[in-house]
Amino acid sequence: MKKKIRGHGFRLTGLILGIVGATVSVTAIVFAALGAHQARLCKHCGKGETFR
């Protein structure tokens, strides 16, 4: 007879939330880097304030 493992649901939920959290944080870092790059490009472009 197998012993029932306690806390299996909490471990599974923690694993799923950890994966989702890691994905969201990586996506946020990528978007922040792209935004900073675009802001830097716009700062040096010839259009200046008329672009906005």
Side-chain angles (χ1 to χ4, degrees):
M1 185 174 176
K2 277 188 161 181
K3 275 189 165 180
K4 186 173 180 179
I5 300 172
R6 295 181 51 94
H8 179 69
F10 287 117
R11 280 190 284 167
L12 183 62
T13 303
L15 176 66
I16 292 170
L17 289 177
I19 292 170
V20 169
T23 304
V24 169
S25 65
V26 167
T27 305
I29 290 169
V30 169
F31 282 153
L34 288 175
H37 180 68
Q38 288 294 329
R40 186 174 176 195
L41 286 178
C42 187
K43 182 179 173 183
H44 297 296
C45 71
K47 293 180 181 177
E49 291 293 322
T50 59
F51 182 70
R52 293 182 193 144

